Structure formats: C-alpha cells, structure tokens
Amino acid sequence: MRINKIELCNFGSYAGINTFEIQNSRSKKRNIVLIGGKNGAGKTTLFDGIKLCLYGHKAEGFQTINAFYRKDVKKIFNDMSKFESGSECYIKLSFEISNGQDEDIYEIKRSWNIYSGLLDEFERFEVIKNRKILSEEELGDFDNFLMNLIPPELFELFFFDGEQIADFFLDENGNERLKNAFMILCGYDTFDIMEKNFKRLLFGKKVTNGQVEINYSTAKDAVQQLENEIANNKVRLKDLKDEFDALNSEIATSDKRYKQGGGVLYEEWNEKFLKIKEEERLREDRNGYLKRMANDFIPYIIVKDNLEKLKSQLQNEHDKQQMEALQKSLKLLLPNVMKKVYDRLDWKSDDELTDLVIEEFDAEIFNKELDKIDNILCASNEDFDSLIRAINIYLSVEKEEIVNAQNDVKESIIRSQKLREEIEKCNIEGIQTYIDKKTSLLETKSQVSVQMQNETDEIESLARRYDEAIQILKREEKKFEDEVKTQSIGDLAERSIAFLDSLQKKLYVNEIAKVEILFIEKIKELARKSNFIDEIKIDNDFNIHIYKNITFNSKKVCKRIHEIGNAEYLNEYGQTHCQSILNVTKTSNLDEFVIQYGKTNEDFSVLQEIDKSRLSKGEKQVFIMALYWSFMHLNQHEVPFIIDTPFARIDSEHRTNITRKFFMDLNGQVFIFSTNEEINGEHLKIMDKNIQSTFLLENTDNRRTNVIENKYFGE
C-alpha cells in the first residue's frame, strides 16, 4: 500500500481544502515522505486525520458510530468553518495496493455533517476503486479488507508516535499487546478464527457424550491457572529477595559506619585483650627456648666443627677396635675349626695349611687406613655410644631455629603494640543504640526470610501440583485424541483443535527466533555502546528478557552455588545465565561445573539479565526501536508507516544511526512528521536519496495551517 495523495478540508487547523500531492516514484528506494512543522503547526492533526480517514470510529476505539464518537469528531472541525453555512469537513486519501498482478487504485473519503442530529446521517464513507464507486455491499468487503491489512490492534505500530511507542511494549499488559501484534503480523490470528470455527462445528455437530472434551478443556485450564499462580509467586519471591538484599545492605552499612566511628562490640574489645595475652604467652615460650639454647647448646654450636672432628675420631677408633678384636678372635678360633675339618675329611693334620688359612683371613680383614689411626680417646663401647648420641644432639641444632625464635619475639612485640593502639582508639559509646538498630533489622530480616521460605515452599508445592496437572492433561489429551479418531465432523474438529495448538507452538518458536536474531542485528546497528545488549529472549507469555555479557569469577560463582544450592541459583539468575555458564565452561550441569571449577580462580564472560526499568530513557527508546523494527519485519504486507515525533528521547549521538539504520531500513512507504529540531542538517542529507516528497507546515497565527509543497526547514 502506497499513499499518493492526502486531502483535508476544515479538519482541525486545516481550514478549507489542503492537499498533499506525493510525487509518484516507482523506485522502492524513494519511500520517505518528510513533513516538517514546528510544534502546533498541525503534524499531529494530520497524523490523526490519516488514521481517522481509514478506520473511522474504530480508530477512536468505538465499536459503532455513537454519541461519544460524534462528540470527539465535532471537536476536530475547524473553528472558523463552523460559522460558514454549508461548509463541510472531510479527509480524502488516494493510494494504490497490489493485487498480486497489478496495482488497484483507491480513493477513499470520510466526511462528517456536524449539523445533523441523526447518527445515521453524521458520517459518510465513500470508496472509489479503479474509478468505480463501490456499493454498500462492496464497502463492507472493503472494510474487512482494510481491517485485515492493518487491524485495529496494530494501529499503534503502523501509526507510530515516538513519545508513546515505548508504552505499547513496556506498559502493563504490554506482553499481551505484543502477543496479539505478533500473531496478526505472522498471520497466526487466523488460527484463532479457525479454532473458533472448529469449536462451533464441534459443539454444533457432536452428538456423543462431550465429557472427554470437557475434561480436556478443564485440564488445560488447570495447567494455565497453575502456571499463572507459579509466575505470581515467583514475582513475590523476587520482591522478598530484593527486600532481603536491601536489609543485608543496610546492616552492612550500619556496621561499617559504627566501626568507622571507632565503635566496637564488647566481644571485639575482649578479643583484643585475649590476643595480647596470647602474644605474651608466645614470647614467654620463645624466650624460654632461647634461654635453654644459651645455657645448653650455644657453646657446642660455636665449636661445631670440632664436634664433627671428634665424632669422626671416635668412629674411626671404634672401627679399629672392632677390626683388631675380629682378628684376635679368628686366630683363636681357626686352629680348632681346621682340626675339625681335617677329621671330617679324614685328613692328616697340617699345621702349615692352618697357618696359611689364618694368614689369608687376617689379610682380608686388615684395613690399612684404620691401622694408621692413633688411639687417642680409647673409649669403651659404652662410652662410644653415649658420646655419639650426645654429639648428634648438639649437631642437630641449627642456628636458623634460634634466629627464627628471636624474630618471633620481635614480631610478637610489634603485634602487641598494634593491639594496644587499637584498644586506645576503640569507642564503646553508643553501642546500645547500634545494637538496638541492628537487632530490629535482624528481626525484620528473619521475618522476610521466613516469608521467602514460605513462598519457596509454596512454589515447590505448586510445581508438584503443576507436574501432576501436566500428567492429567496428557492423559486427557490422549483420551481426547483417541475419541476424535472415531468421530465424523465433530471428531475432525477436535483433532484440528489439538493440531492447531501443536502447530502454533512450533510456528511461534521459529518466528520468535527470527525476531530475536533480527533484534540483535538491529540493536548493534542502532546503539552507540558496543556491548549494550548481547541477547534477547521472548518467553511463552511474550515477556521480553534482555541480557548482557558480564565477567564472572568461577570461584565466586561456585561459592554462591554452595551457599544457596543449584535450584535457588537457577531461580535467582535464570535459565539463560546458567546455560551460558555451561556453554562457556563446556560442562553439562551445575554440579559438574562446581566440581571442575570449584577450586579454580578463572574469569569468564556469561549472559546476565538486565532489568529494563534501569535503562535510561534514551537507551529504552533505542531498545524499543530495535524491537519494533524486528517485529515489523514479520509483516507480510507492504503498509505505510506514519511516524510522529521520530526522535523522541533520542540523544544526538544516536540520531544518525536511527536515521540510517531505522527509518531508511523500514519496508514500505514511511511518513515522518518532524520538528525543526529533529530531522535536519546531517540527518536530512543522509536520507536525501530516499525522500519521495517533502512538505512544510506553517501556522503563524495559531489559527490555520498552510501546506507548502517541495519545501522543508532550511530550504
């Protein structure tokens, strides 16, 4: 649909006939109609007029032409024209719409007779299609066609008010409006119509007992109710957690202020004295050790080298004594041993052979080095053992141990001095006020904790009931499907309803995924910040969740999981955040993550949900425009966009991106109503090659709007 001409007569500030002749351009690139005017020049009046011409009372939210609608329209009639007899008020639009093969040319005119007392005569609607006036019956078909082209539910999307578009997505029930818009843009609202028709057939044709269908419907309602209750409880739990965190923060702040003022608790006061006592006991122990060392060991440490020489002399003399004793024993024993050997061998005794054996044994045992040792000490075996033990004890003492003991004493003195200084600075005045406040905060915290536990228990209970309800639903759905297999028209309708439910879910997932991908592409083009939003998720209820990559520390994450448990961590930080952790760390679940990363200290970037309420007005507007653009790309028809206040809440840094990557990137004809402070200078140059027509609105005396064609601010 492309608008070629707009004509207003005595509508608002447009006195007489005012025409907007839009230059005909077959190039889809030239799709921008730029209409400039200062505040009060008539831009919003034109904006409302186009919508009113197309949809009449539906544009104002009325089901029929009634007294309230007439009252609203009368307010729009030009004040000066009211006094002119026979003056009329109307809006006329000329546009073309493709029928798949060619272009159909339409001219529609909606006029009002404000002097008529009858509602039937108040408004007149005429349509000319390809130079032929449509009949009453054809008008009804055209109205339905127009409603399908731009349904009333999408008025606020195609008739885009920059000041109010954020409310469409983010205000109360914004998710419901978003869902309706999504279904219409994708053509899925047809499913609702089909389902209603199937149900009409079902209840009109079915003659068998309808209890199975009733049970199935009841089971679906039960599941939906439990889902709503769980969602509400989670919201309450989140609010309690926020209150709990706020109390923790207030307690920490109170503690910090009290301590910064020198305040301490009685326990801390006593603890410092106990630490001083511990230091005194440590010094007493270390000094005792040093005294023992001085009395018993230091003389020997001084002559350590001599002790080692003494030990060597003792060992050598002892070894020499052992050798000499062995030689002596052999000389006494061997003659008798040899005599016994001769007897067993029945040999004749040979003294010469015996002497030779003794001589060889003696040679084997003899040690020349030991033989050179002088016997100075001549210690007995008992004295040798005693002396060696004593020497080893003295040699085992190291100087470092004594030095360490001395350092321990010095460090203890320093710590004691520091503790005494801390005690002098301590202040226990005002402790009762501090304790009373903290006690009150702790009591409130305890109450909130109990409420949180109650909500958690309730959610777990609802979750169990939900699981049971799901099982019941599956059973009833199976019964429902089994029954419809054997029935005729009514049975076909039942199967169709179940099929549509399943098909819608699959189609939702695919189309929502497209929106999410388009959004990320567009937000990166529009936003000044490179890491403004990194991910978006639209859940089954069409609530929008936005995420940003934030650096987390593995040790801190594991600690948090240990503190609150897997389920609570998942509930607190969300499925997307937890899945992002698993993807980055290549683990399959939180338990595996804790096992692998519990003792590490690594930083990694994962997704964390952003609270949309914390976005600035400008950031929120950029976010909405990216979301709007991604949703509008689902539209299957070429429909004009009528945009008023294009740069609402948009700062100068973002305006270039919005001009280039938003307005110039919309599919279809784009009408932009701008003040002299919005589309001008640089932005006008950027979109110059895309401009189809320009108009300037002037209203110098605040009474009448003048339309100047082919002109804009600064020209």
Side-chain angles (χ1 to χ4, degrees):
M1 177 180 179
R2 291 175 72 88
I3 297 175
N4 299 320
K5 182 179 178 180
I6 306 169
E7 184 174 307
L8 299 93
C9 179
N10 296 324
F11 185 85
S13 59
Y14 293 87
I17 298 175
N18 297 266
T19 304
F20 295 81
E21 286 277 359
I22 299 165
Q23 296 178 10
N24 188 15
S25 173
R26 292 298 172 186
S27 171
K28 289 193 174 183
K29 185 177 180 182
R30 287 192 174 274
N31 64 329
I32 296 177
V33 177
L34 187 59
I35 301 175
K38 296 181 180 180
N39 292 333
K43 298 188 303 300
T44 302
T45 301
L46 175 60
F47 179 92
D48 294 336
I50 296 172
K51 186 164 62 171
L52 191 63
C53 180
L54 288 169
Y55 301 104
H57 58 271
K58 297 184 183 71
E60 299 296 312
F62 299 111
Q63 296 296 318
T64 60
I65 296 175
N66 55 36
F68 297 101
Y69 171 67
R70 180 171 62 179
K71 183 178 180 181
D72 287 346
V73 173
K74 282 185 175 181
K75 293 178 182 177
I76 302 172
F77 198 92
N78 182 262
D79 291 333
M80 298 300 297
S81 301
K82 290 178 181 178
F83 303 100
E84 297 178 12
S85 176
S87 62
E88 61 176 338
C89 173
Y90 69 82
I91 307 171
K92 185 189 296 183
L93 289 179
S94 298
F95 53 88
E96 57 189 53
I97 299 177
S98 173
N99 58 24
Q101 296 180 347
D102 203 350
E103 300 289 332
D104 289 326
I105 308 300
Y106 290 87
E107 182 181 284
I108 66 173
K109 178 181 178 181
R110 196 177 297 272
S111 58
W112 299 273
N113 180 3
I114 65 169
Y115 305 105
S116 173
L118 300 175
L119 287 176
D120 292 340
E121 298 175 357
F122 172 69
E123 182 178 280
R124 184 179 179 187
F125 184 56
E126 302 170 83
V127 177
I128 300 174
K129 178 182 178 181
N130 298 327
R131 300 182 179 179
K132 177 186 175 184
I133 299 175
L134 299 187
S135 65
E136 286 294 324
E137 183 178 351
E138 289 172 331
L139 279 176
D141 293 337
F142 175 79
D143 187 62
N144 291 332
F145 167 73
L146 204 57
M147 288 298 102
N148 288 326
L149 190 65
I150 310 178
E153 293 86 351
L154 301 186
F155 282 176
E156 293 180 67
L157 290 181
F158 288 101
F159 293 81
F160 179 150
D161 187 336
E163 292 284 356
Q164 300 174 6
I165 189 65
D167 300 337
F168 179 89
F169 291 94
L170 299 180
D171 266 10
E172 186 178 0
N173 299 323
N175 62 320
E176 289 295 328
R177 288 192 293 272
L178 193 61
K179 181 179 180 180
N180 291 337
F182 169 81
M183 292 186 67
I184 294 169
L185 288 170
C186 295
Y188 296 161
D189 55 329
T190 306
F191 290 143
D192 286 342
I193 298 170
M194 291 172 65
E195 187 169 353
K196 289 176 182 177
N197 287 329
F198 281 133
K199 286 183 176 180
R200 179 177 56 80
L201 289 172
L202 177 65
F203 293 112
K205 299 287 185 178
K206 191 170 181 180
V207 295
T208 58
N209 184 4
Q211 190 59 45
V212 172
E213 196 275 335
I214 293 172
N215 292 344
Y216 174 55
S217 179
T218 302
K220 284 177 65 176
D221 292 342
V223 168
Q224 184 62 51
Q225 182 178 351
L226 285 168
E227 287 177 348
N228 293 338
E229 289 182 22
I230 290 172
N232 292 334
N233 278 65
K234 285 184 176 179
V235 170
R236 289 195 294 271
L237 180 59
K238 184 180 183 302
D239 292 340
L240 287 170
K241 285 180 179 177
D242 292 343
E243 184 179 355
F244 188 83
D245 292 341
L247 287 167
N248 278 334
S249 176
E250 188 173 357
I251 290 170
T253 301
S254 178
D255 291 343
K256 183 177 180 181
R257 288 176 178 171
Y258 181 69
K259 290 180 180 179
Q260 285 177 342
V264 295
L265 299 176
Y266 293 123
E267 293 82 356
E268 293 175 341
W269 177 277
N270 292 329
E271 186 180 355
K272 294 182 186 297
F273 280 105
L274 290 174
K275 285 182 178 179
I276 290 176
K277 292 292 184 183
E278 289 175 4
E279 294 296 336
E280 290 175 350
R281 284 195 293 272
L282 174 64
R283 291 197 298 275
E284 184 179 348
D285 177 69
R286 296 285 86 189
N287 284 327
Y289 168 78
L290 291 171
K291 185 175 181 181
R292 289 195 303 276
M293 290 296 103
N295 293 334
D296 299 338
F297 289 91
I298 288 180
Y300 296 102
I301 293 173
I302 295 171
V303 295
K304 183 176 181 180
D305 293 342
N306 291 335
L307 279 176
E308 290 175 345
K309 291 178 181 179
L310 175 61
K311 179 180 178 181
S312 177
Q313 180 65 27
L314 280 168
Q315 188 65 51
N316 289 335
E317 286 189 21
H318 180 70
D319 292 345
K320 182 178 180 181
Q321 289 174 3
Q322 294 294 317
M323 182 189 72
E324 290 174 346
L326 181 57
Q327 287 175 325
K328 185 176 180 180
S329 298
L330 288 172
K331 288 178 181 180
L332 292 174
L333 292 172
L334 277 176
N336 290 332
V337 172
M338 291 300 294
K339 185 175 183 306
K340 291 179 180 178
V341 170
Y342 294 146
D343 291 342
R344 292 181 64 181
L345 294 174
D346 199 17
W347 287 359
K348 184 179 178 180
S349 296
D350 187 344
D351 293 336
E352 184 177 355
L353 178 59
T354 299
D355 291 338
L356 285 172
V357 171
I358 292 171
E359 184 178 340
E360 287 300 322
F361 266 107
D362 191 54
E364 285 295 324
I365 295 169
F366 181 72
N367 186 319
K368 292 182 179 181
E369 294 299 325
L370 290 176
D371 191 54
K372 294 178 182 179
I373 298 298
D374 295 329
N375 291 324
I376 300 172
L377 301 172
C378 300
S380 65
N381 286 337
E382 184 179 348
D383 290 340
F384 169 77
D385 291 338
S386 177
L387 286 169
I388 287 297
R389 281 196 300 273
I391 290 171
N392 284 338
I393 290 172
Y394 293 132
L395 289 177
S396 66
V397 177
E398 298 291 341
K399 292 182 181 179
E400 287 76 6
E401 294 181 13
I402 298 173
V403 172
N404 289 339
Q406 291 174 330
N407 289 337
D408 288 345
V409 172
K410 293 177 182 178
E411 291 171 0
S412 177
I413 292 172
I414 293 171
R415 287 195 296 271
S416 296
Q417 182 60 34
K418 185 177 178 181
L419 286 167
R420 289 190 177 92
E421 291 174 357
E422 290 176 358
I423 290 172
E424 290 176 1
K425 294 178 181 178
C426 286
N427 175 21
I428 59 173
E429 293 181 5
I431 188 171
Q432 192 58 48
T433 301
Y434 162 74
I435 289 174
D436 290 343
K437 180 180 178 182
K438 186 168 184 177
T439 300
S440 174
L441 290 171
L442 289 173
E443 287 176 354
T444 305
K445 178 182 171 182
S446 177
Q447 294 170 1
V448 173
S449 178
V450 170
Q451 293 174 359
M452 286 169 59
Q453 186 59 51
N454 291 339
E455 288 294 342
T456 302
D457 293 343
E458 180 65 17
I459 290 172
E460 291 176 354
S461 174
L462 288 170
R464 289 191 293 271
R465 289 170 54 195
Y466 178 77
D467 292 339
E468 294 171 359
I470 287 291
Q471 295 304 316
I472 293 172
L473 176 60
K474 288 180 178 178
R475 290 197 298 270
E476 296 301 328
E477 185 177 20
K478 182 66 168 60
K479 292 177 184 178
F480 184 63
E481 291 174 352
D482 290 342
E483 185 178 79
V484 298
K485 289 177 182 177
T486 60
Q487 298 180 17
S488 58
I489 297 177
D491 302 321
L492 178 60
E494 288 178 335
R495 287 198 302 271
S496 299
I497 291 171
F499 171 76
L500 284 175
D501 284 345
S502 175
L503 179 61
Q504 276 186 296
K505 290 176 182 177
K506 292 178 181 178
L507 292 174
Y508 278 7
V509 171
N510 293 335
E511 294 301 319
I512 286 298
K514 291 180 186 177
V515 171
E516 292 170 349
I517 292 171
L518 289 170
F519 172 86
I520 293 300
E521 292 175 357
K522 184 54 62 176
I523 198 69
K524 291 185 183 301
E525 292 177 349
L526 298 183
R528 173 177 53 82
K529 297 178 181 177
S530 59
N531 62 339
F532 176 33
I533 296 173
D534 296 306
E535 185 96 36
I536 182 174
K537 294 290 182 185
I538 302 173
D539 63 26
N540 293 335
D541 294 324
F542 280 78
N543 294 305
I544 301 169
H545 306 272
I546 54 177
Y547 302 87
K548 181 177 181 180
N549 278 316
I550 296 177
T551 300
F552 283 79
N553 180 268
S554 59
K555 190 174 183 180
K556 292 181 179 179
V557 172
C558 291
K559 181 182 178 183
R560 184 61 177 161
I561 293 173
H562 277 304
E563 290 174 347
I564 64 177
N566 291 4
E568 190 58 27
Y569 187 88
L570 176 63
N571 185 55
E572 182 172 332
Y573 291 91
Q575 177 67 38
T576 300
H577 166 82
C578 293
Q579 188 60 51
S580 181
I581 289 178
L582 302 183
N583 293 341
V584 170
T585 59
K586 296 181 179 179
T587 51
S588 58
N589 53 57
L590 290 179
D591 288 332
E592 183 181 342
F593 166 74
V594 171
I595 291 172
Q596 291 190 21
Y597 289 84
K599 295 183 179 180
T600 65
N601 192 23
E602 298 180 22
D603 290 335
F604 47 79
S605 181
V606 296
L607 294 172
Q608 177 63 35
E609 185 169 0
I610 306 170
D611 185 353
K612 294 188 290 296
S613 65
R614 299 185 66 180
L615 297 176
S616 68
K617 290 183 178 179
E619 289 175 334
K620 191 177 293 184
Q621 194 72 5
V622 172
F623 158 71
I624 290 300
M625 295 183 89
L627 185 64
Y628 173 92
W629 183 90
S630 57
F631 264 85
M632 297 314 293
H633 266 61
L634 298 174
N635 185 33
Q636 300 173 8
H637 305 289
E638 184 178 317
V639 179
F641 294 89
I642 317 294
I643 301 173
D644 192 10
T645 321
F647 283 150
R649 305 188 183 101
I650 300 297
D651 57 36
S652 57
E653 290 187 52
H654 284 98
R655 291 189 174 189
T656 300
N657 287 348
I658 298 296
T659 301
R660 192 187 304 276
K661 297 297 182 179
F662 181 81
F663 297 127
M664 295 175 64
D665 210 11
L666 288 171
N667 294 325
Q669 197 176 28
V670 182
F671 285 75
I672 301 178
F673 298 168
S674 170
T675 66
N676 59 329
E677 296 178 356
E678 295 180 280
I679 304 295
N680 55 33
E682 176 188 356
H683 312 119
L684 187 61
K685 290 180 182 178
I686 290 172
M687 63 171 60
D688 180 67
K689 293 182 179 180
N690 292 71
I691 293 177
Q692 184 179 2
S693 291
T694 58
F695 300 89
L696 184 63
L697 306 181
E698 292 184 346
N699 190 344
T700 55
D701 58 0
N702 202 28
R703 296 176 65 186
R704 175 172 181 161
T705 295
N706 294 316
V707 180
I708 307 173
E709 292 186 5
N710 302 320
K711 188 175 181 181
Y712 191 71
F713 296 114
E715 296 181 352

